[in-house]
Amino acid sequence: MSAENNRDRDPRSGGRSSEGKRQGNRGAQPPRSKGPQSNRPSRGNGPASAPAIDSARLAARDVLRAVRERDAYANLVLPGLLRERKLDTRDAALATELAYGTCRARGLLDAVIESGSGREVADIDGGLLDILRLGAYQLLRTRVAPHAAVATAVDLTRSEFGSGKAGFVNAVLRRVSEKTAEQWVDELAPTAEQDPVGRLAFEYAHPRWIAQAFADALGADAGELAAVLEADDSRPAVHLVARPGEISAEELAVITGGEEGLYSPYAVYLDGGDPGKLEAVRDGLAGVQDEGSQLVARALTLAPLDGEDHGRWLDLCAGPGGKAALLGAIAEIDGAHLDAVEPTPHRAELVRKTTGALPVSVHVVDGREPGLEGGYDRVLVDAPCTGLGALRRRPEARWRRSPKDVAGLVTLQKELLASALTLVRPGGVVVYSTCSPHLAETTGVVADAVRRYGVEQLDTRALLPWVPQLGDGTSVQLWPHRHGTDAMFMAALRRPL
């Protein structure tokens, strides 16, 4: 399906969402909340009462607190919190914008807060820091009126910490509001001449090492780094997968009001909302899955074998089950059977629930030594990785990862790929994939396997001939600014006869 047919937008454009796009001195307009009922304590005949706290900002603050205190994931905490507090559509949209946007922009916000307060953020009480980040995000990356951003932050502070701390928050945010986001970047970021990667990393709120990893993966196309970071700094569309044999993408688009995907025959795009409330998702006709992940699963089923496909397929890293469910649905149509490996019991249970009555057997074992009988025709190794390709869907993840994480993951990835190559039959195919473009996790792992085991590296791009700009060489690298997907990598390896 071409990008020009029946499409009003191009997902390769990498345009900024309402969290990231800057218009004039402020970012794009977030949904308006009802706002606080009062910015000051009431003055009736009795003692002053506490100010009414804005429910959307309170929810966003509580998400930030959970992320900071419990290492929680914002995208797991927020939906339940919104349901529990029964926020209306407008307040829920604002809470989502503020919580996710603040998590994404944390590095930039912290630098500005340090400058505005004259303190290291490590020296600021965590509860106050959550509120300062929330207020600074509104001032620098939304069109919320400055007085509203400051006043609601002061109210949040006063309600919990008292007037003294509220004065500190008020003073810091007023200093933050004295400059636009662009002016703060000019003041605090390295210049483009000094450090072009560092400059872009600061502007688009990424750790520098991640921006450098993206630039390295782009190679000759490193001039696209700003577009990658901009797309990565935006809220993505929701991608649904239509279960083959249950519903078509066309039918799913009609009943959900979405658009059919550009590249996966199973994909549907939604502008937003809670996909868990969709009847098709509740009934198991569809699931939530990035289109890039759908393409990985489809590539495994399309890869050419030497000899007949006997229908023995394996997903060596199956949890939490998205790709296993898609492969299982295709296997049911093709008369195949999928073995799915997941070492963690609770994730294995998720795979069982996701695959349901499909021809899928779940094995709670370590993929490096699964104890399974070899001879598989097709094996997927969707290896654990840094997840740098899905940062837009996990707003706090970029600040949790470290360059030190890479080496241990690469060792694991190599061990899993080696296991897969012993389990696949001669003439069978292994598809290795990661949700990361980091070269050490992608082409480095594949090159090591080719050198060690003498496997044939297929032209993976030929498995996705309708998808443009897949990168150089024989592997595939998807990008959010080009394809509207997560930055998925995949390479197909065939074991020689």
Side-chain angles (χ1 to χ4, degrees):
M1 187 181 300
S2 79
E4 289 73 31
N5 292 337
N6 301 318
R7 294 290 177 264
D8 297 326
R9 62 181 176 82
D10 183 353
R12 299 181 293 277
S13 65
R16 210 68 178 269
S17 78
S18 58
E19 288 177 356
K21 186 175 180 181
R22 296 170 174 84
Q23 298 179 358
N25 291 338
R26 303 290 175 213
Q29 176 69 59
R32 293 289 185 185
S33 73
K34 295 176 181 178
Q37 297 175 16
S38 171
N39 288 334
R40 293 178 297 275
S42 63
R43 298 188 182 276
N45 294 328
S49 61
I53 303 301
D54 180 278
S55 58
R57 290 173 174 84
L58 183 62
R61 191 280 312 273
D62 289 346
V63 171
L64 299 183
R65 179 169 293 181
V67 169
R68 177 180 52 80
E69 290 185 343
R70 300 190 277 110
D71 281 340
Y73 295 95
N75 64 333
L76 299 181
V77 172
L78 181 62
L81 190 151
L82 295 179
R83 288 192 293 269
E84 175 188 331
R85 299 187 184 179
K86 296 181 173 58
L87 270 67
D88 65 26
T89 301
R90 290 165 61 89
D91 279 349
L94 179 61
T96 301
E97 170 84 7
L98 298 183
Y100 290 172
T102 303
C103 286
R104 285 192 182 93
R106 195 187 84 185
L108 181 148
L109 300 176
D110 283 359
V112 173
I113 289 168
E114 287 184 344
S115 180
S117 67
R119 303 183 190 180
E120 299 288 330
V121 291
D123 296 330
I124 299 174
D125 177 87
L128 296 180
L129 184 58
D130 295 332
I131 296 170
L132 286 169
R133 287 169 173 167
L134 184 61
Y137 176 75
Q138 294 172 75
L139 290 168
L140 300 178
R141 287 199 162 195
T142 77
R143 279 174 145 180
V144 170
H147 69 85
V150 175
T152 52
V154 169
D155 287 346
L156 278 171
T157 308
R158 184 182 293 116
S159 69
E160 183 174 6
F161 300 101
S163 297
K165 298 293 177 65
F168 169 71
V169 167
N170 179 68
V172 174
L173 290 180
R174 289 194 180 281
R175 292 190 193 105
V176 171
S177 70
E178 290 171 359
K179 298 183 178 70
T180 66
E182 292 77 8
Q183 289 169 335
W184 279 115
V185 169
D186 287 340
E187 178 175 323
L188 300 177
T191 66
E193 292 74 24
Q194 292 172 329
D195 182 1
V197 172
R199 170 83 179 194
L200 291 172
F202 188 93
E203 180 178 357
Y204 293 104
H206 283 68
R208 191 194 182 286
W209 75 273
I210 292 179
Q212 186 63 60
F214 290 173
D216 294 343
L218 286 165
D221 297 321
E224 298 179 23
L225 179 59
V228 175
L229 297 175
E230 184 176 40
D232 206 40
D233 202 26
S234 304
R235 284 183 61 196
V238 176
H239 290 184
L240 300 180
V241 56
R243 302 292 190 209
E246 297 287 348
I247 192 171
S248 70
E250 181 181 13
E251 292 168 329
L252 182 61
V254 169
I255 65 175
T256 60
E259 286 186 272
E260 290 183 64
L262 292 174
Y263 308 122
S264 165
Y266 318 116
V268 170
Y269 307 151
L270 298 180
D271 286 336
D274 182 357
K277 295 181 179 179
L278 296 173
E279 185 176 352
V281 174
R282 292 199 309 266
D283 292 346
L285 302 178
V288 179
Q289 186 177 49
D290 182 76
E291 189 174 19
S293 294
Q294 298 175 39
L295 292 175
V296 168
R298 181 165 167 78
L300 179 71
T301 68
L302 297 176
L305 309 176
D306 277 337
E308 185 180 352
D309 188 342
H310 298 93
R312 289 195 70 211
W313 300 356
L314 173 64
D315 183 348
L316 199 61
C317 310
K323 295 182 183 67
L326 180 52
L327 288 171
I330 298 172
E332 187 168 48
I333 295 169
D334 291 354
H337 183 276
L338 179 73
D339 285 313
V341 169
E342 169 52 51
T344 308
H346 78 274
R347 285 170 61 88
E349 186 59 30
L350 290 176
V351 178
R352 289 192 184 95
K353 290 180 179 178
T354 304
T355 55
L358 295 170
V360 177
S361 298
V362 180
H363 305 268
V364 188
V365 292
D366 190 323
R368 291 170 290 186
E369 296 181 356
L372 300 174
E373 182 181 352
Y376 288 97
D377 300 286
R378 304 178 187 276
V379 181
L380 174 63
V381 182
D382 183 39
C385 66
T386 56
L388 302 187
L391 297 179
R392 62 200 186 126
R393 298 191 186 279
R394 297 163 189 160
E396 70 289 317
R398 70 189 67 182
W399 309 111
R400 288 182 172 168
R401 282 298 186 188
S402 159
K404 296 177 181 178
D405 297 330
V406 176
L409 286 165
V410 167
T411 298
L412 175 60
Q413 291 156 1
K414 289 179 178 179
E415 291 170 349
L416 288 166
L417 183 51
S419 175
L421 291 171
T422 64
L423 292 165
V424 73
R425 68 166 176 81
V429 170
V430 173
V431 168
Y432 172 79
S433 68
T434 64
C435 190
S436 170
H438 196 297
L439 292 178
E441 300 184 87
T442 58
T443 55
V445 171
V446 172
D448 179 76
V450 171
R451 183 178 65 255
R452 287 175 179 270
Y453 308 109
V455 292
E456 176 188 2
Q457 188 167 355
L458 303 178
D459 188 350
T460 315
R461 297 172 302 173
L463 306 178
L464 307 172
W466 59 92
V467 183
Q469 294 184 279
L470 294 177
D472 298 327
T474 58
S475 58
V476 164
Q477 180 62 65
L478 302 173
W479 289 103
H481 72 296
R482 291 178 180 173
H483 309 104
T485 67
D486 291 343
M488 296 292 302
F489 169 88
M490 66 187 93
L493 306 173
R494 187 163 59 197
R495 184 175 169 183
L497 293 170

